């Protein structure tokens, strides 16, 4: 059951019309969607689905075990029927914060050039875990981040096939994270002049949109692990 993933090509879409292709256990599956399913450290989207005669709040979006994108609705909520035309609307304010945070995380990873061992994004606070023993100079990192935001670097994504990647080993060398192989194609996220890595998340189109970002607590989570928290200041 394949859903067309509109958010991959245009992360700024706030809603879409779609047809219900399955309904099961508090989950609605559509033929196309703007809702991002939880993955890559980014939470699933929330919002609502409305149809002729009803509407339901979407409290989360997840892939099921077969890879279908499930719009999860509240227990007991009314749901549309298979074949119904619906309109899906994102909680855009929340998602846009995820986009700002996600792009900020790529910038943070380009400032602190250590291996990344974990991460998590939320609208209020995000974190990256670095494989490092050095201490983190919060002021210097904060200033470097602010400079990257102010420089208004273009952000774009493109698909590349495994074969194209094999033909350009220099591309892999320039990536900050090694690409996963074996799926046939890989989505690359490029922040012009700053970062290139495989990523499936939703992003801004320019670093300027990240806005005011502040380095929060730096936690020591073991000898070789520094957890850096960041916040959006607005
Ligand atoms: Zn990303």
């Amino acid at each position: 059951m394949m859903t067309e993933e509109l958010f991959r090509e245009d992360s700024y879409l706030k809603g879409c019309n779609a047809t219900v292709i399955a309904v099961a256990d508090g989950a609605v599956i559509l033929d196309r969607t703007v809702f991002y399913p939880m993955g890559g450290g980014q939470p699933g989207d929330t919002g609502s689905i409305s149809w002729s005669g009803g509407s339901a709040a979407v409290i989360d979006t997840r892939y099921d075990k077969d890879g279908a994108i499930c719009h999860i609705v509240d227990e007991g909520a009314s749901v549309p029927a298979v074949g119904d035309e619906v309109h899906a609307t994102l909680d855009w304010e929340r998602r846009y914060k995820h986009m700002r945070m996600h792009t900020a995380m790529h910038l943070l990873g380009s400032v602190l050039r250590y291996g990344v061992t974990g991460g998590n994004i939320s609208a209020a606070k995000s974190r990256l875990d670095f494989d490092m023993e050095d201490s983190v100079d919060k002021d210097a990192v904060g200033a470097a981040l602010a400079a990257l935001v102010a420089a208004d670097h273009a952000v774009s994504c493109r698909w590349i096939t495994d074969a194209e990647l094999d033909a350009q080993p220099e591309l892999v060398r320039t990536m900050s994270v090694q690409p996963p192989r074996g799926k046939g194609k890989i989505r690359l996220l490029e922040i012009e002049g700053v970062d290139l890595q495989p990523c499936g998340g939703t992003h801004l189109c320019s670093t300027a949109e990240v806005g005011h970002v502040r380095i929060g607590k730096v936690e020591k989570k073991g000898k070789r692990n520094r957890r850096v928290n960041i916040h959006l200041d607005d």
Side-chain angles (χ1 to χ4, degrees), residues 13-79:
L13 292 174
K14 300 173 181 67
C16 70
N17 293 322
T19 303
V20 177
I21 55 177
V23 180
D25 247 2
V28 178
I29 301 173
L30 304 173
D31 65 339
R32 56 213 295 270
T33 191
V34 296
F35 280 65
Y36 179 82
M38 184 182 80
Q42 187 177 326
D45 281 329
T46 56
S48 63
I49 296 175
S50 59
W51 60 95
S52 172
S55 70
V58 176
I59 57 171
D60 198 1
T61 308
R62 303 234 176 162
Y63 284 112
D64 70 9
K65 59 179 183 356
D66 302 317
I69 296 176
C70 295
H71 304 78
I72 317 270
V73 299
D74 256 331
E75 232 182 274
S78 63
V79 289

Side-chain angles (χ1 to χ4, degrees), residues 102 106 189 199 201 203:
H102 197 144
H106 282 259
L189 190 279
C199 179
H203 282 279

Side-chain angles (χ1 to χ4, degrees), residues 14-213:
K14 300 173 181 67
C16 70
N17 293 322
T19 303
V20 177
I21 55 177
V23 180
D25 247 2
V28 178
I29 301 173
L30 304 173
D31 65 339
R32 56 213 295 270
T33 191
V34 296
F35 280 65
Y36 179 82
M38 184 182 80
Q42 187 177 326
D45 281 329
T46 56
S48 63
I49 296 175
S50 59
W51 60 95
S52 172
S55 70
V58 176
I59 57 171
D60 198 1
T61 308
R62 303 234 176 162
Y63 284 112
D64 70 9
K65 59 179 183 356
D66 302 317
I69 296 176
C70 295
H71 304 78
I72 317 270
V73 299
D74 256 331
E75 232 182 274
S78 63
V79 289
V82 172
D84 279 356
E85 301 289 320
V86 302
H87 190 78
T89 309
L90 281 184
D91 176 346
W92 173 250
E93 206 176 307
R94 175 173 177 271
R95 152 69 96 67
Y96 188 61
K97 284 186 177 159
H98 293 163
M99 288 162 62
R100 290 174 61 200
M101 279 294 200
H102 197 144
T103 303
M105 302 287 252
H106 282 259
L107 296 180
L108 182 61
S110 79
V111 170
L112 290 170
R113 293 212 168 262
Y114 299 87
V116 171
T117 55
N120 190 59
I121 292 167
S122 81
K125 179 173 112 166
S126 298
R127 61 170 171 81
L128 274 184
D129 290 347
F130 293 95
D131 176 21
M132 64 185 287
E133 291 181 42
D134 305 342
S135 58
V136 174
D137 181 340
K138 274 172 60 167
D139 291 343
V141 172
L145 265 187
L148 288 168
V149 171
D152 195 9
H153 294 280
V155 183
S156 61
C157 61
R158 61 179 188 268
W159 292 92
I160 189 166
T161 64
D162 285 0
E164 284 169 325
L165 204 57
D166 289 338
Q168 301 171 76
E170 70 284 356
L171 197 58
V172 176
R173 275 198 298 277
T174 59
M175 285 185 208
S176 54
V177 174
Q178 292 308 298
R181 299 301 190 99
K183 280 202 161 177
K185 59 180 196 167
I186 294 156
R187 187 168 179 266
L188 297 182
L189 190 279
E190 180 167 27
I191 303 179
E192 209 172 66
V194 179
D195 188 37
L196 176 69
Q197 63 174 281
C199 179
T202 57
H203 282 279
L204 303 170
C205 61
S206 143
T207 62
E209 286 188 41
V210 170
H212 292 287
V213 57

Side-chain angles (χ1 to χ4, degrees), residues 209-227:
E209 286 188 41
V210 170
H212 292 287
V213 57
R214 179 169 47 85
I215 306 291
K217 253 196 303 189
V218 176
E219 302 165 79
K220 194 170 171 180
K221 292 274 173 187
K223 187 165 182 287
R224 291 183 55 88
N225 192 354
R226 300 292 175 270
R227 172 170 292 177

